[in-house]
Amino acid sequence: MIEEIEGVLIDLDGTIWKGNELISHADKAVAYLRSLGKRIVFVSNRGNWSRRMCHERLGRFGIAAEEEDIILSSTVTAQFLRKHYPLCQVWTLGDEGLREELRHHQVPLAPAPEDADFLIITLHETMTYRDLDLAFRAVHHGARMIATNIDKTFPSEHGNAIDVAGMVGAIEAAASRKVELVLGKPSCFMVEAALRQLKVPPNRCLVIGDSVESDIRMGRMYGMKTALVLTGNTKRNELKALREKERPDYVMDSIYDIVGLGKEIVQ
Amino acid sequence: MIEEIEGVLIDLDGTIWKGNELISHADKAVAYLRSLGKRIVFVSNRGNWSRRMCHERLGRFGIAAEEEDIILSSTVTAQFLRKHYPLCQVWTLGDEGLREELRHHQVPLAPAPEDADFLIITLHETMTYRDLDLAFRAVHHGARMIATNIDKTFPSEHGNAIDVAGMVGAIEAAASRKVELVLGKPSCFMVEAALRQLKVPPNRCLVIGDSVESDIRMGRMYGMKTALVLTGNTKRNELKALREKERPDYVMDSIYDIVGLGKEIVQ
């Protein structure tokens, strides 16, 4: 199948790395795909990182990429705001990476929560009560809410850790308003950003990721080929319970299996 | 100011009519704007009506309009799905008007809730427990959720009646998933649909509506002129409490005041 594929969308957390560790031979898998001439974008729901931060980390793991080939939910959120709400200013609940990405795209940050047209919510691993209260104040004064993504938990070294859904839940409950837009995978906003960068039609694309909900469904909804890796969110014993619309074309122990998959046909 | 305006966005419920009654002289106000050569679109958060139904009702009140000049949240939802999720099929929780609008835009309706990629939620005034349960089943089997709008209540003959937020709340609570997209006013999706139809830049537009949250904020966010009418949601004694970003340029007892406003300057 690999020769039918021109573009590859690769997830990051759980596919390329896990916490601070590169997943074994993930760098070689990417190099292999590049050696076949495939176009590659990295597509991640990380909204608390900027593209620059992500680019640095890929480099540290020996994976070369242009910044434009990294598509984070923070990137897509910033681009969306810039394009569709050019006159609006925003407050944030999230780590510094989100603000870096917003600034990079010239999205105006509100000087005070009361002035914000939107509150943008993402994972906030350094959050304090004060951050939460300022975000609440923005919404209480009329800011509307956008979330970079709505993942409930992410795998940490201590097991599952509370993710963006927790930050969103706090503000929604206190302010009696709801998030009106979620930009992360598997939304059309992420897919269309990836396809614009790849310049490849969806039926010539392969999605490689560890999440059935984000990666496989995204690919399936657009008629892409899909490969589920078992190095992250999904375990082999969960495969039987998958619904038809969640079933990947390929299941791989890790992204490095792409090498075998390619060789089978390429040889 | 009226000569600076080329395009007018007019709300329906509470601005043109209230329940089954035309608001006094609203038809004359529209005719007056047309006589000045203004381009007009009707922009409503009604997601449980189709454009055809709305067109008929305007006609019954003696207000001529092309169907294309009516922009409902059901219209924008159908167009969004058709454009961004062309391979997806949907289940609905809402009145028949929504399904009519989806069919009109060739959005595939899922044969069973289990097959749906999306559940589309709008006001459902004929809802039964069974409708709610089928919608729950769609989400329980992996459908993602889109709401035409998220209004909490609407004014009925018996006072405030539960609106779309109630339908959304039921499914979110039971299925532990959240709506990821709300398309109604004051979102960019509605504004951009209106501007595409008007072919007028935002700073040459006037929004006339009864809702500070939907109509005035929508106009303010895009640099349009705004006129708040007191025939619907908002009462005169609430005006003092408005925040800066919610303040309209004009307050009118009813849309018919536009005639006086025009004459002041036109004469």
Side-chain angles (χ1 to χ4, degrees):
Chain A
M1 68 94 176
I2 201 79
E3 76 271 22
E4 293 165 25
I5 297 300
E6 293 171 42
V8 188
L9 295 81
I10 303 179
D11 173 53
L12 292 171
D13 288 81
T15 302
I16 294 291
W17 58 60
K18 202 165 185 171
N20 288 315
E21 310 240 316
L22 182 72
I23 285 168
S24 182
H25 299 316
D27 52 339
K28 294 193 181 71
V30 174
Y32 171 74
L33 286 168
R34 288 209 201 279
S35 77
L36 297 180
K38 308 304 178 195
R39 294 182 60 82
I40 293 174
V41 288
F42 298 96
V43 182
S44 164
N45 268 357
R46 281 239 167 226
N48 62 334
W49 283 14
S50 68
R51 245 177 345 184
R52 185 193 58 77
M53 292 159 69
C54 198
H55 181 255
E56 259 181 39
R57 173 176 278 224
L58 279 168
R60 228 180 303 138
F61 287 137
I63 299 175
E66 300 295 317
E67 274 196 27
E68 290 67 36
D69 295 333
I70 300 168
I71 295 169
L72 308 176
S73 62
S74 57
T75 315
V76 171
T77 301
Q79 291 170 343
F80 186 89
L81 288 163
R82 181 76 188 147
K83 179 173 178 191
H84 296 284
Y85 293 106
L87 303 181
C88 293
Q89 45 187 7
V90 307
W91 192 258
T92 61
L93 176 62
D95 293 315
E96 182 55 28
L98 172 62
R99 279 181 295 281
E100 182 174 309
E101 200 66 3
L102 291 168
R103 276 191 297 261
H104 179 78
H105 288 86
Q106 284 100 46
V107 175
L109 303 182
E114 292 79 2
D115 301 322
D117 298 293
F118 286 99
L119 171 69
I120 314 299
I121 307 179
T122 193
L123 177 59
H124 197 341
E125 293 187 89
T126 56
M127 188 181 78
T128 62
Y129 173 80
R130 184 169 158 76
D131 295 317
L132 205 55
D133 188 44
L134 291 171
F136 165 73
R137 215 185 292 172
V139 178
H140 189 63
H141 283 81
R144 292 153 58 200
M145 279 187 280
I146 289 178
T148 60
N149 58 312
I150 194 82
D151 296 70
K152 288 178 185 168
T153 61
F154 66 94
S156 81
E157 49 207 299
H158 312 293
N160 277 346
I162 186 168
D163 204 342
V164 185
M167 278 99 260
V168 167
I171 305 298
E172 284 190 342
S176 289
R177 291 176 73 112
K178 279 173 171 293
V179 164
E180 62 181 60
L181 180 59
V182 180
L183 287 140
K185 291 185 285 186
S187 87
C188 58
F189 307 102
M190 294 291 277
V191 175
E192 292 172 12
L195 291 174
R196 269 196 303 274
Q197 188 62 20
L198 286 172
K199 298 182 188 70
V200 168
N203 63 352
R204 309 286 282 178
C205 287
L206 169 69
V207 181
I208 307 176
D210 72 317
S211 162
V212 168
E213 179 69 25
S214 298
D215 302 310
I216 305 309
R217 288 199 68 185
M218 179 175 73
R220 290 292 308 269
M221 278 196 302
Y222 284 86
M224 299 174 180
K225 291 272 184 246
T226 54
L228 180 71
V229 295
L230 299 177
T231 42
N233 250 323
T234 315
K235 303 288 157 250
R236 191 172 285 280
N237 62 13
E238 294 164 27
L239 297 178
K240 274 205 174 151
L242 293 183
R243 299 174 194 108
E244 200 288 316
K245 61 188 154 211
E246 298 169 338
R247 262 180 227 139
D249 295 296
Y250 305 94
V251 178
M252 301 175 174
D253 287 321
S254 88
I255 189 174
Y256 189 62
D257 286 9
I258 195 75
V259 175
L261 200 66
K263 278 189 182 148
E264 262 170 42
I265 299 154
V266 166
Q267 274 177 353
Chain B
M1 68 93 174
I2 201 78
E3 77 271 22
E4 293 164 24
I5 296 301
E6 293 172 42
V8 188
L9 295 82
I10 304 179
D11 173 53
L12 292 172
D13 288 79
T15 302
I16 294 290
W17 57 60
K18 201 163 186 174
N20 289 314
E21 310 240 314
L22 182 73
I23 286 167
S24 183
H25 299 316
D27 52 340
K28 294 193 182 70
V30 173
Y32 170 75
L33 286 168
R34 288 209 200 280
S35 76
L36 298 180
K38 308 304 180 196
R39 293 182 59 82
I40 293 174
V41 288
F42 298 96
V43 182
S44 164
N45 268 357
R46 280 241 167 224
N48 62 333
W49 283 15
S50 68
R51 250 188 328 196
R52 186 192 58 77
M53 292 160 69
C54 198
H55 181 255
E56 260 180 39
R57 171 177 279 225
L58 279 168
R60 229 180 302 137
F61 288 138
I63 299 175
E66 301 295 318
E67 274 196 26
E68 290 67 36
D69 295 332
I70 300 168
I71 295 168
L72 308 176
S73 62
S74 57
T75 314
V76 170
T77 300
Q79 291 170 344
F80 185 89
L81 288 163
R82 181 76 187 147
K83 178 172 177 194
H84 297 284
Y85 293 107
L87 303 182
C88 293
Q89 45 187 10
V90 307
W91 192 258
T92 61
L93 176 61
D95 292 315
E96 182 55 28
L98 171 62
R99 278 181 296 281
E100 183 173 309
E101 199 67 3
L102 291 168
R103 276 191 297 262
H104 179 77
H105 288 87
Q106 282 99 47
V107 174
L109 303 181
E114 292 79 1
D115 302 322
D117 298 294
F118 286 99
L119 171 69
I120 315 299
I121 307 179
T122 193
L123 176 60
H124 197 340
E125 293 188 88
T126 56
M127 188 180 77
T128 63
Y129 173 79
R130 185 170 158 75
D131 295 317
L132 205 56
D133 188 44
L134 290 170
F136 164 73
R137 214 186 292 172
V139 178
H140 189 63
H141 283 81
R144 292 153 58 201
M145 280 188 279
I146 289 178
T148 60
N149 58 313
I150 195 81
D151 297 70
K152 288 179 186 167
T153 61
F154 66 94
S156 80
E157 50 206 300
H158 312 292
N160 277 346
I162 186 169
D163 204 342
V164 185
M167 277 100 261
V168 167
I171 305 299
E172 284 191 343
S176 291
R177 290 177 74 110
K178 280 174 172 291
V179 163
E180 63 181 59
L181 180 58
V182 180
L183 288 140
K185 290 185 284 185
S187 86
C188 58
F189 307 102
M190 294 291 277
V191 175
E192 291 172 13
L195 291 173
R196 268 196 305 274
Q197 187 62 20
L198 285 173
K199 299 183 187 71
V200 169
N203 63 353
R204 309 287 281 178
C205 287
L206 168 70
V207 181
I208 308 176
D210 71 317
S211 163
V212 168
E213 178 69 24
S214 299
D215 302 309
I216 304 309
R217 288 198 67 184
M218 180 175 71
R220 289 293 308 268
M221 277 194 304
Y222 285 86
M224 300 173 179
K225 292 271 184 247
T226 53
L228 180 71
V229 295
L230 300 177
T231 42
N233 251 323
T234 314
K235 302 287 157 250
R236 189 172 285 281
N237 62 13
E238 294 164 27
L239 297 178
K240 274 205 173 149
L242 294 183
R243 301 174 192 108
E244 201 287 316
K245 61 189 155 211
E246 298 169 337
R247 263 180 226 140
D249 295 295
Y250 305 93
V251 178
M252 302 176 173
D253 288 320
S254 89
I255 189 174
Y256 190 62
D257 287 8
I258 194 75
V259 176
L261 200 66
K263 280 190 181 146
E264 264 172 40
I265 298 154
V266 166
Q267 272 177 352

